[in-house]
Amino acid sequence: MNKTVNINLANTLFHIDDDAYNKLRRYLESIKRSFAGTKGSDEIIADIEARIAELFLEKMENERQVITHKEVDQVIDVMGQPEDYMVDEDIFEDDPKRTHAEPSPKAKKLYRDIDHKYIGGVCAGLEHYLGLDALWIRIIFLLLAVFTSGFGLIAYILLWILVPEAATTSQKLDMRGEPVNISNIERKVKEGFDDVADKVKNVDYEKVGNKVKSSSKTFFDTIGDIILFLFKVFGKFIGILLIIIGASTLIGLFFGLFTVGMFDAVHFPGVDFYEIVNTTGAPVWVVSILLFFAVGIPFFFVLYLGLKILVNNLKSIGNIAKFSLLGLWLISVGALIALGIRQAAEFSNTGSVHEQDQLVLENVTDTLVIRMKNPGYEYTRDDIHFGRMSFAYDKDDNRVLISDEVHINVKKAEDSVVSLSIRKDSNGSSSRTARDRAKNITYGYELLGNEIILDEYLITDISNKARNQEVTTTIHIPEGSMVRFEESTRYHIGRGIANDKDYYRSSIVGHIWLMGKDGELKCQDCLDEDNDEERNGNGKIIINEDGIDIDIKDAQDSFEMKINEDGIKVKAGN
């Protein structure tokens, strides 16, 4: 059982074994004696104690751990003995004499160099970390800020926030990749004094560790180093890729939030699209903020992960910030899900209303002509679409919703009267809501002589939103009556109109049809494919692997044309 004591080292509380404490105390006293009478000795001692505290913290697994002889010995091995690291004026000669082994090179850590800063010291710190002049780094940030919509500015601000500043002597040595021991701490402090500055600046301390240990490496050690280097390069590439992805997404979201969502400074089609489909009552700026947090927070952590990969000592944003962002993300995602469910409910039910009229034709024996009314002179359509629904303006410049989701069907009438039925459909959160929305659809027709002129578009107020509104017009024709569909109906013919030619939808257009007894339309002017030769004066058209053979003959003259691999042959005669 050993006695422990509490010590305050660099304003940090440690629990230390009594024997280890005595050894550490003797070690620090010997260091103080070594620097007695030296300018800046108090600052040197303070930095040494701060470095020892950092080493203790790195070796401790928890705050209640007791420091023993083992940890003290390890710290002394790192820091060195005072007599081994005397940096006095007599060592700053052309050939400095050293009695200790040359330390191995140390990896640099990224800090903000506040001693040479213009704004936040980011570029000056990157100069030490990358080995690139700070002037070029500042130019790169400036070009990125100008030509990438502010990416350089955002990257600089993030580095300013996340990268710690080199405040202590040990941090400044870490920033330069120099070992943090008594010798370098003393040297760094002395560099601040004018009487030794001129002597220190000519000493090249970066010669330490430049010799390659090639003689002691085996072949497999070399292969391992190469593989490790490739993994490090790949990791840095992944880090850069994550930074680009995260930063680009955040910039786009930030720009969209404050231009479209908040102020509507830029007119984007998506805003009008939102107005067509939205029935949740949530303003576009609220949805924009929710989307910004729901999408932006994950990409912020993508950016942060990329920085962690590239910067070894990147300052943590803290657990409070992490959990706050997580909570904000969960709230945003939950709110968007709730709005999405409410929005989806608007399409869960379909409601229909029916209207039916009898038509009085001027001459029941004439062919019934069906065509569409072209409203192009009455309505001006926008390019904003949700399905086939879009915004439009009437002749009084009132904004409405307009759709060409209009279909035409033909059926056999039960009596000798032509009648017309109109079915209006719409979606809604309930059947009643859907029916009410269907009732609000405006759709009409007119009868001129034997022409039924149908509206090409259905109209509804913008308050009804886009809810798959459509209109189906069914025309009931008596048996034996003739009907013809004009070209304007081509894209509105409904499915399933029975006819003896099995024509599908638009193919019905342009022909004259007779309503049969079985409710099937009989074509009156369609060519009989089996009798094409008789109808064309025994002429023929043959298309096969030999080419195209056109032969037209009648009682008075003949015409023949052949097209094949030999060319074109034309023959005409009386």
Side-chain angles (χ1 to χ4, degrees):
M1 183 174 64
N2 296 328
K3 177 182 177 182
T4 62
V5 296
N6 295 329
I7 62 172
N8 183 351
L9 189 63
N11 295 322
T12 305
L13 183 64
F14 294 98
H15 304 287
I16 187 170
D17 180 86
D18 188 52
D19 292 338
Y21 165 73
N22 290 326
K23 184 171 186 178
L24 178 63
R25 178 177 55 79
R26 291 193 296 270
Y27 177 72
L28 291 174
E29 288 176 351
S30 63
I31 291 175
K32 291 179 181 179
R33 288 194 298 270
S34 299
F35 293 113
T38 303
K39 289 185 178 181
S41 59
D42 292 340
E43 186 176 350
I44 294 172
I45 298 301
D47 287 330
I48 290 173
E49 290 183 353
R51 178 56 179 166
I52 293 174
E54 289 177 3
L55 294 174
F56 281 151
L57 289 173
E58 291 176 1
K59 299 178 184 301
M60 291 176 62
E61 297 180 358
N62 57 74
E63 60 182 10
R64 300 183 62 84
Q65 181 176 338
V66 176
I67 297 173
T68 63
H69 259 289
K70 178 182 177 181
E71 285 77 24
V72 173
D73 289 338
Q74 290 175 347
V75 168
I76 292 176
D77 289 340
V78 173
M79 298 299 295
Q81 295 291 342
E83 59 270 17
D84 294 335
Y85 291 97
M86 287 297 295
V87 182
D88 210 340
E89 294 184 5
D90 57 351
I91 72 169
F92 294 108
E93 302 294 340
D94 292 336
D95 297 317
K97 297 180 181 179
R98 299 183 181 271
T99 59
H100 63 282
E102 294 289 340
S104 59
K106 182 180 179 181
K108 297 179 182 180
K109 294 183 178 180
L110 181 59
Y111 287 95
R112 290 185 290 112
D113 189 354
I114 57 176
D115 294 332
H116 303 90
K117 68 178 182 179
Y118 277 97
I119 300 176
V122 173
C123 296
L126 288 172
E127 177 181 16
H128 299 292
Y129 189 76
L130 301 176
L132 184 65
D133 191 274
L135 175 62
W136 293 108
I137 297 175
R138 293 185 178 102
I139 292 175
I140 291 173
F141 272 111
L142 183 60
L143 292 176
L144 289 175
V146 173
F147 295 105
T148 60
S149 301
F151 171 74
L153 178 61
I154 293 178
Y156 186 91
I157 293 174
L158 287 174
L159 290 173
W160 191 355
I161 295 172
L162 297 174
V163 177
E165 66 180 28
T168 65
T169 302
S170 61
Q171 290 173 337
K172 294 177 181 178
L173 292 172
D174 279 337
M175 180 175 63
R176 289 168 169 79
E178 300 178 13
V180 184
N181 50 35
I182 297 174
S183 173
N184 284 332
I185 290 175
E186 179 189 8
R187 174 182 58 80
K188 193 63 185 174
V189 172
K190 282 189 174 183
E191 285 179 353
F193 295 91
D194 295 334
D195 56 337
V196 294
D198 293 335
K199 296 180 181 179
V200 174
K201 67 180 180 181
N202 295 321
V203 178
D204 185 5
Y205 291 96
E206 295 188 1
K207 290 181 179 179
V208 179
N210 287 337
K211 295 181 179 180
V212 180
K213 301 176 182 179
S214 57
S215 59
S216 63
K217 287 190 176 182
T218 65
F219 172 76
F220 294 103
D221 292 333
T222 304
I223 295 298
D225 291 341
I226 294 173
I227 294 174
L228 182 61
F229 171 76
L230 293 177
F231 272 114
K232 288 181 178 180
V233 171
F234 180 74
K236 298 297 183 183
F237 173 77
I238 295 297
I240 294 173
L241 185 63
L242 292 176
I243 290 174
I244 294 174
I245 293 173
S248 301
T249 305
L250 288 175
I251 292 171
L253 290 172
F254 187 82
F255 180 76
L257 174 65
F258 286 97
T259 57
V260 180
M262 297 292 287
F263 306 115
D264 196 19
V266 179
H267 185 75
F268 281 106
V271 177
D272 290 329
F273 177 83
Y274 178 81
E275 292 181 11
I276 294 180
V277 300
N278 175 48
T279 58
T280 62
V284 64
W285 65 269
V286 172
V287 178
S288 298
I289 292 176
L290 292 176
L291 285 172
F292 178 80
F293 289 130
V295 179
I297 290 176
F299 279 95
F300 169 78
F301 281 104
V302 169
L303 173 63
Y304 181 72
L305 177 61
L307 291 173
K308 290 284 286 185
I309 293 174
L310 291 179
V311 182
N312 296 329
N313 62 319
L314 187 68
K315 184 168 64 175
S316 174
I317 62 175
N319 289 332
I320 295 177
K322 290 178 182 177
F323 286 112
S324 297
L325 290 174
L326 176 61
L328 188 58
W329 180 78
L330 291 174
I331 292 172
S332 301
V333 171
L336 288 174
I337 291 175
L339 292 175
I341 293 174
R342 183 175 177 182
Q343 182 71 29
E346 292 293 325
F347 296 88
S348 59
N349 294 278
T350 301
S352 301
V353 294
H354 296 264
E355 300 174 2
Q356 187 162 352
D357 288 326
Q358 290 186 346
L359 305 180
V360 180
L361 303 181
E362 292 182 358
N363 191 341
V364 294
T365 60
D366 287 348
T367 300
L368 180 65
V369 178
I370 302 172
R371 65 182 178 90
M372 309 299 292
K373 179 181 179 181
N374 184 1
Y377 298 103
E378 298 183 15
Y379 294 96
T380 303
R381 302 185 68 178
D382 273 352
D383 292 331
I384 311 302
H385 294 269
F386 177 71
R388 296 171 72 171
M389 180 73 77
S390 63
F391 283 117
Y393 298 89
D394 62 16
K395 58 185 178 181
D396 297 324
D397 205 31
N398 296 316
R399 201 178 196 192
V400 295
L401 287 174
I402 188 171
S403 173
D404 60 356
E405 195 75 37
V406 175
H407 310 287
I408 306 171
N409 283 327
V410 174
K411 291 185 177 180
K412 178 186 173 184
E414 298 295 333
D415 48 28
S416 60
V417 178
V418 177
S419 63
L420 180 145
S421 65
I422 298 175
R423 191 189 73 203
K424 302 175 182 178
D425 299 316
S426 182
N427 292 141
S429 57
S430 65
S431 297
R432 183 57 182 268
T433 304
R435 279 178 53 82
D436 291 341
R437 186 173 280 118
K439 290 178 182 178
N440 291 327
I441 295 175
T442 301
Y443 184 79
Y445 70 94
E446 58 181 319
L447 181 63
L448 292 178
N450 276 44
E451 284 191 344
I452 300 176
I453 305 172
L454 303 172
D455 286 350
E456 188 173 359
Y457 298 108
L458 64 88
I459 311 296
T460 188
D461 190 79
I462 59 175
S463 61
N464 295 312
K465 305 297 182 179
R467 290 297 175 266
N468 290 334
Q469 289 94 336
E470 65 177 46
V471 169
T472 301
T473 301
T474 302
I475 303 172
H476 300 270
I477 302 175
E479 179 185 347
S481 296
M482 299 285 188
V483 63
R484 186 178 78 249
F485 294 90
E486 293 290 290
E487 180 65 27
S488 58
T489 64
R490 177 175 295 276
Y491 301 106
H492 298 278
I493 302 295
R495 297 182 178 90
I497 298 180
N499 61 88
D500 60 348
K501 295 300 182 182
D502 290 329
Y503 285 169
Y504 181 73
R505 301 184 72 175
S506 61
S507 299
I508 297 175
V509 172
H511 296 294
I512 298 176
W513 301 88
L514 174 71
M515 177 58 70
K517 184 177 180 180
D518 55 358
E520 184 180 69
L521 295 177
K522 312 294 183 179
C523 187
Q524 302 302 298
D525 59 353
C526 299
L527 296 177
D528 189 347
E529 296 178 358
D530 296 331
N531 298 316
D532 281 346
E533 186 172 341
E534 295 179 1
R535 291 177 178 269
N536 292 282
N538 296 323
K540 62 181 180 179
I541 299 176
I542 300 175
I543 302 175
N544 54 30
E545 65 275 6
D546 297 327
I548 302 175
D549 187 354
I550 302 174
D551 188 3
I552 301 175
K553 300 177 180 178
D554 57 26
Q556 296 181 351
D557 54 18
S558 64
F559 175 83
E560 182 180 0
M561 181 173 69
K562 291 184 179 181
I563 303 174
N564 53 32
E565 67 275 7
D566 297 327
I568 301 174
K569 180 181 179 181
V570 179
K571 181 180 179 182
N574 294 326

PDB file of all heavy atoms in Angstrom, residues 501 526-540:
ATOM      1  N   LYS A 501     -62.369  -2.594 -86.335  1.00  0.00           N
ATOM      2  CA  LYS A 501     -61.002  -2.599 -86.846  1.00  0.00           C
ATOM      3  C   LYS A 501     -59.961  -2.772 -85.733  1.00  0.00           C
ATOM      4  O   LYS A 501     -58.763  -2.832 -86.011  1.00  0.00           O
ATOM      5  CB  LYS A 501     -60.711  -1.291 -87.584  1.00  0.00           C
ATOM      6  CG  LYS A 501     -61.553  -1.091 -88.841  1.00  0.00           C
ATOM      7  CD  LYS A 501     -61.311  -2.208 -89.834  1.00  0.00           C
ATOM      8  CE  LYS A 501     -62.117  -1.987 -91.110  1.00  0.00           C
ATOM      9  NZ  LYS A 501     -61.937  -3.092 -92.061  1.00  0.00           N
ATOM     10  N   CYS A 526     -62.930   2.908 -93.923  1.00  0.00           N
ATOM     11  CA  CYS A 526     -61.619   2.260 -93.765  1.00  0.00           C
ATOM     12  C   CYS A 526     -61.396   1.292 -94.912  1.00  0.00           C
ATOM     13  O   CYS A 526     -62.321   0.614 -95.366  1.00  0.00           O
ATOM     14  CB  CYS A 526     -61.549   1.497 -92.444  1.00  0.00           C
ATOM     15  SG  CYS A 526     -61.761   2.550 -90.983  1.00  0.00           S
ATOM     16  N   LEU A 527     -60.189   1.189 -95.403  1.00  0.00           N
ATOM     17  CA  LEU A 527     -59.853   0.258 -96.470  1.00  0.00           C
ATOM     18  C   LEU A 527     -59.866  -1.160 -95.948  1.00  0.00           C
ATOM     19  O   LEU A 527     -59.411  -1.432 -94.841  1.00  0.00           O
ATOM     20  CB  LEU A 527     -58.472   0.590 -97.049  1.00  0.00           C
ATOM     21  CG  LEU A 527     -58.337   1.956 -97.735  1.00  0.00           C
ATOM     22  CD1 LEU A 527     -56.899   2.150 -98.191  1.00  0.00           C
ATOM     23  CD2 LEU A 527     -59.294   2.065 -98.902  1.00  0.00           C
ATOM     24  N   ASP A 528     -60.410  -2.041 -96.778  1.00  0.00           N
ATOM     25  CA  ASP A 528     -60.413  -3.459 -96.419  1.00  0.00           C
ATOM     26  C   ASP A 528     -59.052  -4.030 -96.797  1.00  0.00           C
ATOM     27  O   ASP A 528     -58.690  -4.124 -97.964  1.00  0.00           O
ATOM     28  CB  ASP A 528     -61.527  -4.187 -97.169  1.00  0.00           C
ATOM     29  CG  ASP A 528     -61.706  -5.615 -96.663  1.00  0.00           C
ATOM     30  OD1 ASP A 528     -60.819  -6.094 -95.938  1.00  0.00           O
ATOM     31  OD2 ASP A 528     -62.741  -6.230 -97.017  1.00  0.00           O
ATOM     32  N   GLU A 529     -58.285  -4.412 -95.832  1.00  0.00           N
ATOM     33  CA  GLU A 529     -56.916  -4.858 -96.086  1.00  0.00           C
ATOM     34  C   GLU A 529     -56.866  -6.102 -96.952  1.00  0.00           C
ATOM     35  O   GLU A 529     -55.904  -6.369 -97.655  1.00  0.00           O
ATOM     36  CB  GLU A 529     -56.204  -5.113 -94.747  1.00  0.00           C
ATOM     37  CG  GLU A 529     -56.042  -3.849 -93.916  1.00  0.00           C
ATOM     38  CD  GLU A 529     -55.391  -4.154 -92.582  1.00  0.00           C
ATOM     39  OE1 GLU A 529     -55.120  -5.345 -92.319  1.00  0.00           O
ATOM     40  OE2 GLU A 529     -55.155  -3.201 -91.820  1.00  0.00           O
ATOM     41  N   ASP A 530     -57.969  -6.902 -96.890  1.00  0.00           N
ATOM     42  CA  ASP A 530     -57.972  -8.121 -97.691  1.00  0.00           C
ATOM     43  C   ASP A 530     -58.282  -7.840 -99.162  1.00  0.00           C
ATOM     44  O   ASP A 530     -58.070  -8.680-100.032  1.00  0.00           O
ATOM     45  CB  ASP A 530     -59.010  -9.115 -97.142  1.00  0.00           C
ATOM     46  CG  ASP A 530     -58.656  -9.568 -95.742  1.00  0.00           C
ATOM     47  OD1 ASP A 530     -57.450  -9.599 -95.433  1.00  0.00           O
ATOM     48  OD2 ASP A 530     -59.587  -9.873 -94.958  1.00  0.00           O
ATOM     49  N   ASN A 531     -58.855  -6.647 -99.455  1.00  0.00           N
ATOM     50  CA  ASN A 531     -59.258  -6.328-100.822  1.00  0.00           C
ATOM     51  C   ASN A 531     -58.536  -5.099-101.353  1.00  0.00           C
ATOM     52  O   ASN A 531     -59.072  -4.352-102.149  1.00  0.00           O
ATOM     53  CB  ASN A 531     -60.779  -6.102-100.888  1.00  0.00           C
ATOM     54  CG  ASN A 531     -61.535  -7.360-100.478  1.00  0.00           C
ATOM     55  OD1 ASN A 531     -61.189  -8.453-100.903  1.00  0.00           O
ATOM     56  ND2 ASN A 531     -62.563  -7.172 -99.649  1.00  0.00           N
ATOM     57  N   ASP A 532     -57.327  -4.849-100.872  1.00  0.00           N
ATOM     58  CA  ASP A 532     -56.569  -3.682-101.315  1.00  0.00           C
ATOM     59  C   ASP A 532     -56.300  -3.725-102.818  1.00  0.00           C
ATOM     60  O   ASP A 532     -56.335  -2.702-103.496  1.00  0.00           O
ATOM     61  CB  ASP A 532     -55.234  -3.607-100.564  1.00  0.00           C
ATOM     62  CG  ASP A 532     -55.444  -3.034 -99.168  1.00  0.00           C
ATOM     63  OD1 ASP A 532     -56.535  -2.476 -98.921  1.00  0.00           O
ATOM     64  OD2 ASP A 532     -54.511  -3.158 -98.358  1.00  0.00           O
ATOM     65  N   GLU A 533     -56.075  -4.915-103.354  1.00  0.00           N
ATOM     66  CA  GLU A 533     -55.715  -5.017-104.764  1.00  0.00           C
ATOM     67  C   GLU A 533     -56.892  -4.635-105.651  1.00  0.00           C
ATOM     68  O   GLU A 533     -56.735  -3.962-106.649  1.00  0.00           O
ATOM     69  CB  GLU A 533     -55.248  -6.435-105.062  1.00  0.00           C
ATOM     70  CG  GLU A 533     -54.712  -6.612-106.478  1.00  0.00           C
ATOM     71  CD  GLU A 533     -54.073  -7.968-106.677  1.00  0.00           C
ATOM     72  OE1 GLU A 533     -53.735  -8.600-105.650  1.00  0.00           O
ATOM     73  OE2 GLU A 533     -53.926  -8.389-107.831  1.00  0.00           O
ATOM     74  N   GLU A 534     -58.127  -5.060-105.243  1.00  0.00           N
ATOM     75  CA  GLU A 534     -59.294  -4.730-106.027  1.00  0.00           C
ATOM     76  C   GLU A 534     -59.614  -3.244-105.952  1.00  0.00           C
ATOM     77  O   GLU A 534     -60.009  -2.626-106.923  1.00  0.00           O
ATOM     78  CB  GLU A 534     -60.485  -5.551-105.545  1.00  0.00           C
ATOM     79  CG  GLU A 534     -60.312  -7.053-105.765  1.00  0.00           C
ATOM     80  CD  GLU A 534     -61.508  -7.827-105.252  1.00  0.00           C
ATOM     81  OE1 GLU A 534     -62.460  -7.165-104.753  1.00  0.00           O
ATOM     82  OE2 GLU A 534     -61.492  -9.067-105.337  1.00  0.00           O
ATOM     83  N   ARG A 535     -59.430  -2.638-104.775  1.00  0.00           N
ATOM     84  CA  ARG A 535     -59.790  -1.243-104.590  1.00  0.00           C
ATOM     85  C   ARG A 535     -58.824  -0.318-105.325  1.00  0.00           C
ATOM     86  O   ARG A 535     -59.120   0.841-105.533  1.00  0.00           O
ATOM     87  CB  ARG A 535     -59.785  -0.871-103.106  1.00  0.00           C
ATOM     88  CG  ARG A 535     -60.914  -1.535-102.316  1.00  0.00           C
ATOM     89  CD  ARG A 535     -60.805  -1.194-100.838  1.00  0.00           C
ATOM     90  NE  ARG A 535     -61.900  -1.797-100.096  1.00  0.00           N
ATOM     91  CZ  ARG A 535     -63.064  -1.223 -99.853  1.00  0.00           C
ATOM     92  NH1 ARG A 535     -63.298  -0.029-100.340  1.00  0.00           N
ATOM     93  NH2 ARG A 535     -64.015  -1.836 -99.162  1.00  0.00           N
ATOM     94  N   ASN A 536     -57.651  -0.805-105.695  1.00  0.00           N
ATOM     95  CA  ASN A 536     -56.648   0.042-106.303  1.00  0.00           C
ATOM     96  C   ASN A 536     -56.336  -0.386-107.731  1.00  0.00           C
ATOM     97  O   ASN A 536     -55.197  -0.263-108.190  1.00  0.00           O
ATOM     98  CB  ASN A 536     -55.358   0.017-105.467  1.00  0.00           C
ATOM     99  CG  ASN A 536     -55.552   0.677-104.129  1.00  0.00           C
ATOM    100  OD1 ASN A 536     -55.552   1.901-104.035  1.00  0.00           O
ATOM    101  ND2 ASN A 536     -55.742  -0.125-103.086  1.00  0.00           N
ATOM    102  N   GLY A 537     -57.337  -0.880-108.425  1.00  0.00           N
ATOM    103  CA  GLY A 537     -57.125  -1.254-109.825  1.00  0.00           C
ATOM    104  C   GLY A 537     -56.109  -2.343-109.985  1.00  0.00           C
ATOM    105  O   GLY A 537     -55.275  -2.261-110.885  1.00  0.00           O
ATOM    106  N   ASN A 538     -56.167  -3.387-109.129  1.00  0.00           N
ATOM    107  CA  ASN A 538     -55.245  -4.513-109.167  1.00  0.00           C
ATOM    108  C   ASN A 538     -53.788  -4.090-108.949  1.00  0.00           C
ATOM    109  O   ASN A 538     -52.873  -4.785-109.374  1.00  0.00           O
ATOM    110  CB  ASN A 538     -55.355  -5.278-110.496  1.00  0.00           C
ATOM    111  CG  ASN A 538     -56.721  -5.903-110.674  1.00  0.00           C
ATOM    112  OD1 ASN A 538     -57.319  -6.375-109.698  1.00  0.00           O
ATOM    113  ND2 ASN A 538     -57.216  -5.880-111.901  1.00  0.00           N
ATOM    114  N   GLY A 539     -53.591  -2.911-108.360  1.00  0.00           N
ATOM    115  CA  GLY A 539     -52.227  -2.499-108.044  1.00  0.00           C
ATOM    116  C   GLY A 539     -51.716  -3.220-106.804  1.00  0.00           C
ATOM    117  O   GLY A 539     -52.452  -3.889-106.097  1.00  0.00           O
ATOM    118  N   LYS A 540     -50.409  -3.092-106.555  1.00  0.00           N
ATOM    119  CA  LYS A 540     -49.846  -3.776-105.388  1.00  0.00           C
ATOM    120  C   LYS A 540     -48.606  -3.019-104.908  1.00  0.00           C
ATOM    121  O   LYS A 540     -47.940  -2.313-105.660  1.00  0.00           O
ATOM    122  CB  LYS A 540     -49.469  -5.208-105.736  1.00  0.00           C
ATOM    123  CG  LYS A 540     -48.387  -5.329-106.832  1.00  0.00           C
ATOM    124  CD  LYS A 540     -48.070  -6.767-107.138  1.00  0.00           C
ATOM    125  CE  LYS A 540     -46.982  -6.858-108.238  1.00  0.00           C
ATOM    126  NZ  LYS A 540     -46.652  -8.274-108.530  1.00  0.00           N
TER     127      LYS A 540
END
